[in-house]
Amino acid sequence: MKEYEQYPMWDAALPLEQRLDDLIKRLTIEEKISLIPTREAAVPRLGIPAYNVGGEAAHGVAWKGEATVFPQPLGLSSTWNTTLMREIGSVIGDEARAYHHREPERHGLTLWAPTVDLERDPRWGRTEEGYGEDPVLTGEMSAALVQGMQGNHSFYLKMVATLKHFFANNNEKDRLNCSSSIDPRNLREYYLKAFETPFVEGGALSMMTAYNSINGTPAIESPYVNDVVKGEWAMPGFIVCDGGDLSQTVNYHGYHATHAESAAGALKAGVDCLTDEVDLVVAALQEALDRDLLKEEDLDRAIRNIFGVRMRLGQLDHSGLNPYASIPESVLCAPEHAKLSYRAAVESIVLLKNDGVLPLKSDALRKVSVIGPLADAVFTDWYSGTLPYRITVLDGLRNRLTDAEILYEDGNDRISLQTQEGQVLSIGDEGTVVAVPEGSAEKAAFVHQDWGWGSHTLRSVNNNRYITLTEQGKYQAIAPEIGGWFVKEVVQFDPEIDNSSLLRTWNGLPLGLAEYQGKHVLAPVADSSEVGTEASEASNSVIGAKEPVRLVKHVDIDGIKRAAASAKVSDLSVVVVGNSPYINGKEEIDRPGLTLPSEQVRLVKEVCKANPNTVVVIVGSYPFALQELKDIAPAIVYLTHAGQELGHAVADVLLGTYAPAGRLNMTWYEDESQLPDIMDYDIINNGTTYMYHEGSVLYPFGHGLTYSPFEYNAIDAQRIKGVSGADVLKVEVQVRNAGEVASDEVVQIYGRPQTSRVKRPLKQLIGFKRIHLTPGEVQTVSFEIPVQKLAFWDVTRDRYCVETATWSIMAGRSSEDIRQTADMKIEGEVIPARQLDLPTFAENFDEYAGVLMDECLEGRSAVRAVVPGEPLYKEDQLSWIAFLNNGTQGAHTFEARVAAFGKGGELQIRSGGPDGPLLGTCPVPMNGSVSTPGQDRSDMQWTTVQCPLQSEQELERLTIVFQGGAAIQQFRLKC
């Protein structure tokens, strides 16, 4: 036995805290620093191995090699099946363990998934990674995944789930320096609520902070980490920052001047593990200690949190008690895992529309045309694992319809390109795209895919490879797939002039012809610094083209015309359209719109016109606006990119082998005009998500059809004591399969108070269950829902409150398809009138316009006007906050804690609305340094100001109007 194995830290029989105490006292300060980066160093003298925190597992273990791939998280959530989620989580944990056993220092067990942040805007580029727009659905589905991933042992962990990204991180544009403005009600009822469930009920032991700021404070230093996650929710694990965020707090947010300040701020705010370059983290922490920005006890706290998890994973442990240590490598891509991938894919499928076409009658199908750019494709995304195999829709239908003739057309044009001078593009040695005199070599034929919004791909017909910009600075047809952090297979086409187009690279650089080894190769122009940098680092590189070249596109084969012709001679057509997870919507890129690419819309229209017996299958990472197609296609099926078994799942649903029962987890809007600015995070004020949207929609939250009608009867709701002693709503509803097909059904329970002091959701999900019923079967579905789920955040008292009110408890098939309703009186509280003679935080307003939450280091958030240049600024818009139902009488003085952002200003105190009677004016002078959005507020001067009020005015509604750079943190009325 080695000496260190006799230390208490290695004794698995001792209490965890005792082992951690021993570990911390034995570490030197240098060793402690080395354990804070995510690439944690080894400490050989104590037997501590090196350990790599992180890795991806959004829908299967990723970036390590072949692993079972499940549907994208948005698709997993479409199953509305928590039992399935636990099973998937367990498989992810098993396969993570297999890779860890293979290379323990390289493949860690603390992986970054699931993405819990709510998806209040479908234009968000990372919509594929989340679980939808509802906090209850997201919370329960992600909690179930976490439980499966981490295992069910009382001490040991199979792996650890890292929830991300905390929080309000739904825009990719400017994500490294923007700030999300979140008022207390949105914060507590929506954004934080989704994270609470996987922590409190799911037991998640890790979390990643987001890149953005929240109310002016970078998320890496958000007070909600310590106050809420580690405080209110008592999460005992560790917090990690997002990749590179230590340095980005300096370089992008401009929040700190040095990395040492950034490191100190992060650790003090509750982040334990820093994801950045190891040398940078180590140097920053050492400097922070030298400058007394950090104390050794700050490192000790982080080490305790990190190693509390590492020890539960079975590290520093030779006891042989860890049940997960013996998981064999043979679990990787096991046949039972493939079956679970199929089950997840088939359960995720949502039948959006069906005019009687589905299910198909296979014995009547002699000739079937399978059409579309995604018909013979299974796409992965940035966070996918490596597929062990892939079944496309074309494969699936061929495998299932063995007696039918299957025709296939992708609907894409075959094109060739030539210069205006008559040279044609050809494929030369090693797939290099070259321009040659016409007739001197075979001209290249390309499969041209138009992905919309100017993004195109060209795939060589000759070798079936995409042309891509290589490190040598030239285009070669060598990419088997579209992908990568920088998607260099994308080519942009400028609008045609004189029948020719200017082509551009993935990042907008013009293309021309460059001299290379005696040939003219397609390459970016020479003055592009990006290409020059790449080329200079590569051997045998291209210098670059001298000038852009315009290319004439020749359509040699019209793909849509061929597809329509194929459809016309078929008994049935299946058109498969959708998106590439790497184009027009991904990490760093928000979607430019909600529609399908125009060429895909045209393809569907022409196929439906040629053959009315057409099914449209949409494979996509997010909701779409389908106004042009909803009345044309008789049947529409939707699923996300669903992994290795996608094709079998689709085929079985179309053929009726499996009755679809997936449900939408996001509202499908009619178009983007129904959405606010993507930077506006206030779902309550803007009326977004199904909870607050009052307009019409294409398909509502919770929508999904199946092949059998279901009847809902005899709902009952009553308040009882639950097993924990807390009050619960016991809701029972009788559900009957009234059809002839066995099918799953997702029973959804919604609630709505008929009266409230504040604006409440039109309805809110409070419970759901996926059940299976055979034809004619009746089941009484029972729910026990904590009464606390009916609470809202009372800004007058800074706490959750269940109001006394009559509630409508609704059971249905979607948020709009309500089948049964029961009214019940909920005895709770009556919120008293505001007492504005007590200190009142400005962020606790009832109504507002034209303001943002910003940082105030005195506590809570400051409120200020939106200023020119910020995303939500509107010219001539008044900026104000209002406080309603006030009980204070006879006030004669207004007193406030204020500061100036950028420039001085004033606060106008008014009765009623922002144009109501003026009661008084408080000047807000410039004091100290100028502070602009996104910067550190440590030098900002907050001061107390007063002004007299015309006390004879009615103050039931008090409005504060902002002028100039005035900001307010709190106020009170003196009587």
Side-chain angles (χ1 to χ4, degrees), residues 76-332:
L76 294 178
S77 182
S78 297
T79 68
W80 292 56
N81 188 338
T82 54
T83 301
L84 174 67
M85 292 297 285
R86 277 188 287 273
E87 294 178 33
I88 291 170
S90 183
V91 166
I92 292 172
D94 286 346
E95 297 198 354
R97 274 279 170 181
Y99 272 108
H100 179 69
H101 295 334
R102 182 180 295 177
E103 294 182 81
E105 293 191 1
R106 178 184 174 195
H107 300 307
L109 292 168
T110 44
L111 302 186
W112 295 335
T115 295
V116 180
D117 202 19
L118 286 167
E119 303 186 297
R120 43 94 209 179
D121 194 312
R123 295 169 298 187
W124 182 36
R126 300 180 74 172
T127 294
E128 65 197 30
E129 298 178 36
Y131 288 72
E133 69 185 29
D134 181 77
V136 170
L137 178 64
T138 294
E140 293 193 20
M141 295 291 281
S142 57
L145 188 79
V146 167
Q147 290 167 343
M149 292 167 81
Q150 296 188 167
N152 56 11
H153 193 273
S154 59
F155 178 78
Y156 289 105
L157 300 162
K158 185 183 289 189
M159 61 169 289
V160 169
T162 300
L163 311 185
K164 60 182 190 178
H165 309 85
F166 191 76
F167 61 98
N169 177 225
N170 296 148
N171 57 280
E172 295 305 293
K173 185 179 184 298
D174 298 327
R175 66 178 182 156
L176 301 182
N177 57 10
C178 70
S179 180
S180 304
S181 180
I182 316 291
D183 67 272
R185 283 198 60 208
N186 278 282
L187 178 101
R188 289 287 185 165
E189 297 173 30
Y190 191 66
Y191 293 102
L192 291 185
K193 190 58 66 176
F195 281 91
E196 182 176 3
T197 304
F199 277 128
V200 176
E201 299 178 20
L205 289 171
S206 182
M207 184 186 80
M208 175 185 285
T209 56
Y211 282 137
N212 56 291
S213 289
I214 302 152
N215 295 351
T217 304
I220 191 175
E221 298 188 31
S222 171
Y224 301 108
V225 173
N226 277 330
D227 294 349
V228 177
V229 179
K230 291 185 173 181
E232 294 177 27
W233 301 339
M235 193 279 279
F238 73 96
I239 309 293
V240 64
C241 71
D242 205 343
D245 206 24
L246 173 67
S247 54
Q248 286 163 182
T249 306
V250 176
N251 299 335
Y252 287 89
H253 284 287
Y255 189 76
H256 290 301
T258 67
H259 299 310
E261 293 164 348
S262 180
L267 261 64
K268 288 187 172 182
V271 173
D272 304 299
C273 195
L274 297 173
T275 313
D276 219 313
E277 295 300 323
V278 172
D279 291 345
L280 184 151
V281 173
V282 169
L285 289 171
Q286 186 61 63
E287 182 183 342
L289 290 165
D290 294 343
R291 293 170 57 187
D292 205 29
L293 301 173
L294 275 179
K295 303 292 186 184
E296 187 171 359
E297 51 261 37
D298 294 313
L299 298 179
D300 293 347
R301 183 177 60 251
I303 297 294
R304 180 176 296 275
N305 292 332
I306 294 167
F307 273 83
V309 167
R310 287 184 63 173
M311 286 179 177
R312 291 187 63 187
L313 286 167
Q315 296 185 11
L316 312 186
D317 187 342
H318 290 321
S319 69
L321 298 175
N322 179 5
Y324 306 119
S326 58
I327 293 175
E329 285 192 33
S330 60
V331 301
L332 278 171

Side-chain angles (χ1 to χ4, degrees), residues 534-854:
E534 286 181 352
S536 65
E537 295 174 352
S539 61
N540 200 25
S541 60
V542 177
I543 300 302
K546 294 181 180 179
E547 60 184 11
V549 63
R550 299 197 69 85
L551 297 171
V552 178
K553 180 179 73 174
H554 296 286
V555 177
D556 302 317
I557 299 175
D558 187 318
I560 292 179
K561 186 177 291 187
R562 280 178 61 109
S566 178
K568 191 170 184 177
V569 298
S570 301
D571 302 315
L572 167 80
S573 292
V574 178
V575 185
V576 189
V577 293
N579 79 304
S580 161
Y582 286 97
I583 300 175
N584 294 332
K586 60 180 285 289
E587 188 166 355
E588 288 200 323
I589 301 172
D590 290 312
R591 293 170 67 193
L594 299 181
T595 59
L596 286 165
S598 59
E599 283 298 289
Q600 292 189 19
V601 172
R602 191 164 71 90
L603 172 66
V604 172
K605 286 181 176 179
E606 291 300 317
V607 171
C608 288
K609 184 190 213 177
N611 186 347
N613 196 33
T614 292
V615 177
V616 176
V617 177
I618 300 173
V619 182
S621 305
Y622 27 64
F624 293 91
L626 303 177
Q627 288 294 76
E628 292 188 75
L629 301 182
K630 66 182 179 65
D631 296 326
I632 295 173
I636 305 176
V637 170
Y638 167 73
L639 73 162
T640 62
H641 299 279
Q644 58 208 57
E645 286 286 340
L646 180 151
H648 283 151
V650 170
D652 287 347
V653 163
L654 298 187
L655 295 168
T657 307
Y658 184 90
R663 297 292 192 270
L664 296 180
N665 45 40
M666 296 184 72
T667 300
W668 283 42
Y669 295 96
E670 292 179 344
D671 56 59
E672 51 261 38
S673 69
Q674 295 179 306
L675 296 168
D677 189 291
I678 197 170
M679 282 304 301
D680 197 331
Y681 277 74
D682 187 345
I683 69 164
I684 301 173
N685 197 52
N686 289 321
T688 51
T689 77
Y690 80 96
M691 291 188 285
Y692 293 98
H693 182 71
E694 296 184 358
S696 59
V697 299
L698 185 66
Y699 299 113
F701 174 85
H703 172 72
L705 307 175
T706 188
Y707 296 153
S708 202
F710 284 84
E711 295 176 351
Y712 284 59
N713 300 290
I715 188 171
D716 179 70
Q718 54 183 303
R719 185 169 182 166
I720 65 170
K721 287 289 183 184
V723 292
S724 66
D727 283 2
V728 300
L729 297 181
K730 184 174 183 180
V731 181
E732 292 185 335
V733 63
Q734 190 181 87
V735 182
R736 174 176 176 266
N737 184 340
E740 299 177 353
V741 176
S743 175
D744 285 2
E745 170 71 346
V746 178
V747 182
Q748 302 167 42
I749 305 298
Y750 295 88
R752 177 179 62 84
Q754 296 179 9
T755 58
S756 179
R757 178 193 177 277
V758 298
K759 182 179 180 181
R760 300 294 297 273
L762 303 169
K763 57 178 70 74
Q764 64 189 76
L765 185 71
I766 56 176
F768 63 92
K769 283 184 181 177
R770 183 165 178 148
I771 62 173
H772 182 79
L773 295 179
T774 57
E777 184 180 357
V778 178
Q779 181 175 332
T780 298
V781 187
S782 182
F783 299 83
E784 289 195 359
I785 299 163
V787 170
Q788 192 62 25
K789 281 197 174 181
L790 309 183
F792 75 99
W793 186 255
D794 177 16
V795 294
T796 72
R797 295 175 295 172
D798 275 333
R799 64 177 176 84
Y800 287 106
C801 168
V802 176
E803 280 183 302
T804 295
T806 298
W807 275 72
S808 296
I809 305 300
M810 298 165 275
R813 306 195 70 244
S814 79
S815 59
E816 289 190 1
D817 187 1
I818 300 300
R819 300 297 181 89
Q820 292 287 318
T821 301
D823 288 346
M824 65 179 301
K825 183 68 177 290
I826 299 294
E827 295 294 340
E829 300 180 73
V830 176
I831 298 174
R834 280 186 180 270
Q835 298 300 312
L836 295 184
D837 55 331
L838 300 175
T840 300
F841 291 108
E843 68 176 10
N844 281 336
F845 50 73
D846 288 298
E847 297 177 357
Y848 76 99
V851 299
L852 293 177
M853 308 293 106
D854 213 320

Side-chain angles (χ1 to χ4, degrees), residues 10-11 20 129 218 390 398 441 578 597 635 694 832 952:
W10 275 85
D11 187 349
L20 291 170
E129 298 178 36
R390 62 186 73 200
R398 280 176 172 164
E694 296 184 358
E952 67 272 13

